[in-house]
Amino acid sequence: MAKKTVGQLLKESGYVTEEQIQVALEVKKIRDMLLGEILIELAFVSPREIALVVAEQSGKPFLDINEHPPSKEALKLFDRQIAKQLEMIPIENREDTLAVALSDPFNINTIDILQRKAGKKIEVYVSDKETILKNIEINYFLLEKPIDVEIQKLVKKAISSGLTSDLPQLLELIINSAIISRATDIHLSPEDVATHIFFRIDCIMRHFYAFPMEMHTALSSRIKILSSLDIAEQRLPQDGSMSHTFFDEDFDIRVSSIPTSYGEGIVLRILTKNVSLFNLESLGFESDTQTRLLKQLKRPHGILLVTGPTGSGKTTTLYASLRKINSLQRKILTAEDPIEYKFPFIKQTQLNIKAGYTFERAMRAFLRQDPDVILIGEMRDDETAEMALRAAITGHLVLSTLHTNDAVTAIPRLMEMNIKDYMIASGVGGILAQRLIRKTCLFCREEASVAVSELIDRGIPEKMLSKHGFDSSSEIKFQQGKGCEHCRDTGYSGRCTISELLDIDQEIGELIVTGATPLTIFNKAVENGMIPILESGLIKVIQGITTPEEILRVAL
């Protein structure tokens, strides 16, 4: 039987449509590029998605190198040039095997060369060429010049002779260190005797560096200059932004400062422009939830709300959802603050509050642009919410976010924004609530177990556990990380989504209109098949993706 082409596999996996392939073929007539390269350039697919289908085709596991960086011991087995030539990166050097990531798992010659040079069996993982080559450059550079050592050199120099000309380099190293560590935020926290640098990694704050307190003002001033903030103003909060480039990858950085008792506290949020993140299949939704979410995205009208606290991945889910809508057949308009990633064939607009271009004004303009789909970054006020509902009941699909703890409480939140109950019942199609949880490290995980009675005592309903075949006298086996170099001894590496999707069907709509309590609506939704967010987490534990402790931390 002939091996299927990557294009066929992409189509069968739902990553591209026949229409998108035809558009790419039209572009190929005027651009001397491979079809796969054109599909990537048009953002119809990402390099990660191509690697996923190659992994499926080869029967080898896919590995996200950004979540599971290579160990130093493994890197030392091969030099940079060999790694680049073979398009591979060594990941983990074990007693009798070497784990490597390859872009082409079918290349027997490469695997044979690796086996002879390493003198041990090769365990193959699949990753995309772009990520492999980028990580080769980064990790071999860091092997020669460890970033923490470089930072400590500059700090010692500052203590002995003052820090002036080296300040830009120090800030760049701090940001680079955060990017390498997969941090989403950098916190500069001045205290009594020192200023401390924390990184938020996989939702958890972790302490990385401590600098002399004298350095804080100079460092914060440097950040404020780069982000166009007023360095003389230290009494009021300020917000700004700046850009940063690390090994040819561009990042947007949102900067926030507030006055504290020991100086200005500054937070830098790091926003990547990597389209590979926006893949609905890789976010971790339960299969039933994802199927129902895709049905929501195919609706001709109605609102799909994504809810959750700050940092719960709402924007990533919205962008991943946009990629599931056929932008060649449906006109899509977005109002964003800011535009975090640019998509072809989608008309994106950047809000400008100072100039008067608000969400409300954008909505009014959009309705004159003959749209099919409208994305509103956030429902911030009553006027925007009302216009979004009116657009939804007049034939438009609207995507937006709202800050609520779960799906059901979005309903009273909309009512607080003066939206009538009948408009919610007829205009809102679905409400997706989500959280991000940490995944157990792939390289140091080991089997563990927990008594079901302990989980019941800690708040997981017995009925939910019994639904999955557990009684109060049984145990649940799961995977727990013991800590290693890949996960910085945390036992966790990477994140995924736990979620619940409330479909506003006729039954739920009638409950909303008759003034039913959120608990009544929740119970009816569960009766109709909704998987609650806590149960979504429990499923991840049973599947070996995360731990009970992580679910209890996030979902209870």
Side-chain angles (χ1 to χ4, degrees):
M1 184 174 172
K3 187 174 71 174
K4 292 181 180 179
T5 66
V6 172
Q8 287 174 307
L9 288 170
L10 286 169
K11 187 178 173 182
E12 288 177 7
S13 302
Y15 291 130
V16 296
T17 65
E18 180 60 34
E19 189 176 9
Q20 288 172 328
I21 291 174
Q22 292 304 316
V23 170
L25 289 171
E26 288 297 316
V27 174
K28 186 171 172 57
K29 292 177 182 178
I30 58 173
R31 298 283 299 275
D32 185 20
M33 296 170 64
L34 296 173
L35 182 63
E37 294 172 340
I38 295 171
L39 288 169
I40 291 172
E41 189 171 280
L42 292 172
F44 289 156
V45 295
S46 68
R48 177 195 178 105
E49 288 162 349
I50 290 178
L52 282 167
V53 298
V54 170
E56 181 184 344
Q57 189 183 40
S58 67
K60 305 294 183 183
F62 172 81
L63 180 72
D64 188 337
I65 305 174
N66 296 320
E67 288 187 0
H68 303 285
S71 69
K72 293 176 183 175
E73 289 72 21
L75 288 168
K76 290 174 182 176
L77 293 175
F78 301 92
D79 64 40
R80 185 198 312 241
Q81 286 306 116
I82 291 177
K84 287 176 69 174
Q85 182 181 342
L86 299 179
E87 292 179 9
M88 73 86 197
I89 189 164
I91 301 294
E92 178 83 0
N93 186 21
R94 302 173 186 138
E95 187 174 340
D96 56 353
T97 62
L98 174 67
V100 302
L102 293 174
S103 62
D104 182 5
F106 298 103
N107 194 325
I108 299 172
N109 290 334
T110 294
I111 297 171
D112 184 55
I113 291 169
L114 293 173
Q115 192 162 316
R116 283 190 281 108
K117 285 186 174 292
K120 55 182 65 177
K121 184 181 177 182
I122 301 300
E123 183 178 342
V124 175
Y125 291 87
V126 181
S127 188
D128 64 273
K129 178 180 176 180
E130 180 182 286
T131 300
I132 288 175
L133 294 179
K134 183 184 78 172
N135 273 275
I136 287 171
E137 293 299 327
I138 293 172
N139 285 283
Y140 278 98
F141 175 81
L142 294 175
L143 199 62
E144 299 165 7
K145 290 188 173 183
I147 203 162
D148 288 352
V149 173
E150 296 298 312
I151 287 175
Q152 291 306 318
K153 283 181 184 177
L154 292 179
V155 173
K156 286 180 181 178
K157 184 177 178 182
I159 295 171
S160 61
S161 58
L163 183 79
T164 52
S165 60
D166 295 324
L167 193 63
Q169 185 185 357
L170 177 62
L171 178 59
E172 185 174 344
L173 287 172
I174 292 170
I175 296 173
N176 291 347
S177 177
I179 292 169
I180 292 163
S181 303
R182 298 181 297 102
T184 54
D185 302 86
I186 303 170
H187 292 249
L188 275 71
S189 177
E191 300 298 333
D192 190 13
V193 296
T195 188
H196 299 270
I197 308 293
F198 292 85
F199 294 166
R200 187 177 292 280
I201 303 171
D202 294 337
C203 309
I204 301 293
M205 291 270 286
R206 296 188 59 200
H207 185 276
F208 265 69
Y209 309 107
F211 298 157
M213 189 58 194
E214 311 85 78
M215 294 176 62
H216 182 78
T217 300
L219 199 55
S220 60
S221 294
R222 174 66 183 170
I223 293 170
K224 290 170 78 173
I225 288 170
L226 290 175
S227 52
S228 302
L229 301 182
D230 184 355
I231 62 171
E233 181 56 78
Q234 299 182 14
R235 302 163 299 171
L236 297 172
Q238 295 187 70
D239 294 302
S241 64
M242 61 184 183
S243 58
H244 182 79
T245 301
F246 178 61
F247 279 93
D248 297 324
E249 185 173 354
D250 295 326
F251 296 84
D252 286 330
I253 299 177
R254 308 298 171 211
V255 180
S256 172
S257 71
I258 60 168
T260 74
S261 53
Y262 292 111
E264 286 184 286
I266 295 181
V267 176
L268 291 79
R269 167 150 288 192
I270 303 168
L271 302 172
T272 180
K273 296 182 178 182
N274 187 352
V275 72
S276 294
L277 294 175
F278 311 126
N279 179 319
L280 209 55
E281 286 77 12
S282 68
L283 296 183
F285 293 108
E286 308 312 320
S287 58
D288 176 71
T289 301
Q290 183 173 309
T291 299
R292 292 188 296 117
L293 178 57
L294 291 172
K295 285 182 180 178
Q296 290 284 344
L297 296 173
K298 290 177 181 177
R299 289 166 57 105
H301 54 78
I303 288 184
L304 173 64
L305 284 175
V306 182
T307 75
T310 301
S312 59
K314 298 187 297 296
T315 300
T316 299
T317 297
L318 279 183
Y319 279 165
S321 298
L322 276 185
R323 292 191 63 218
K324 285 296 179 181
I325 298 172
N326 191 334
S327 58
L328 297 175
Q329 294 181 353
R330 304 172 78 183
K331 182 170 182 177
I332 304 173
L333 294 171
T334 77
E336 304 171 60
D337 185 22
I339 295 174
E340 294 182 17
Y341 185 84
K342 295 179 181 178
F343 293 94
F345 304 105
I346 294 176
K347 307 308 175 191
Q348 298 171 265
T349 69
Q350 169 87 45
L351 296 188
N352 189 328
I353 307 302
K354 290 181 180 178
Y357 186 50
T358 61
F359 280 123
E360 180 190 1
R361 192 163 183 177
M363 280 295 298
R364 293 185 188 278
F366 284 1
L367 294 177
R368 296 190 292 271
Q369 285 282 314
D370 186 32
D372 296 294
V373 182
I374 296 171
L375 183 145
I376 300 294
E378 183 183 342
M379 286 194 183
R380 294 181 180 174
D381 52 57
D382 298 7
E383 291 78 15
T384 304
E386 183 179 353
M387 292 195 69
L389 262 296
R390 292 194 182 280
I393 61 179
T394 55
H396 305 87
L397 178 63
V398 180
L399 312 181
S400 191
T401 66
L402 200 63
H403 288 274
T404 63
N405 286 328
D406 55 34
V408 172
T409 52
I411 295 168
R413 176 74 185 98
L414 287 171
M415 291 179 179
E416 288 175 5
M417 300 173 80
N418 296 316
I419 304 299
K420 303 296 183 184
D421 51 19
Y422 65 86
M423 288 186 70
I424 297 172
S426 60
V428 179
I431 303 169
L432 177 74
Q434 65 178 58
R435 297 285 190 283
L436 292 175
I437 56 163
R438 295 179 294 171
K439 296 191 293 185
T440 303
C441 177
L442 179 68
F443 291 97
C444 65
R445 63 185 181 181
E446 55 187 12
E447 191 174 89
S449 62
V450 61
V452 169
S453 57
E454 181 184 337
L455 297 180
I456 294 171
D457 290 341
R458 297 185 67 179
I460 296 183
E462 187 172 358
K463 185 177 179 181
M464 184 180 292
L465 289 157
S466 64
K467 177 182 173 182
H468 293 276
F470 301 102
D471 58 43
S472 57
S473 63
S474 59
E475 290 186 335
I476 294 179
K477 296 188 183 300
F478 64 96
Q479 295 292 319
Q480 179 173 275
K482 60 185 179 181
C484 66
E485 183 182 352
H486 295 282
C487 61
R488 290 180 175 263
D489 295 317
T490 64
Y492 298 96
S493 183
R495 298 181 294 175
C496 70
T497 302
I498 57 173
S499 61
E500 61 186 24
L501 177 57
L502 173 64
D503 289 314
I504 311 294
D505 55 21
Q506 186 174 345
E507 282 186 283
I508 299 295
E510 287 175 359
L511 289 175
I512 293 170
V513 173
T514 55
T517 65
L519 181 58
T520 302
I521 296 173
F522 175 83
N523 289 335
K524 174 54 73 173
V526 172
E527 184 184 315
N528 290 350
M530 182 181 84
I531 299 173
I533 201 165
L534 181 58
E535 185 178 350
S536 174
L538 178 63
I539 292 170
K540 294 290 192 297
V541 173
I542 296 168
Q543 292 173 338
I545 294 171
T546 191
T547 65
E549 284 298 324
E550 181 67 2
I551 296 306
L552 294 167
R553 179 185 72 84
V554 173
L556 279 183

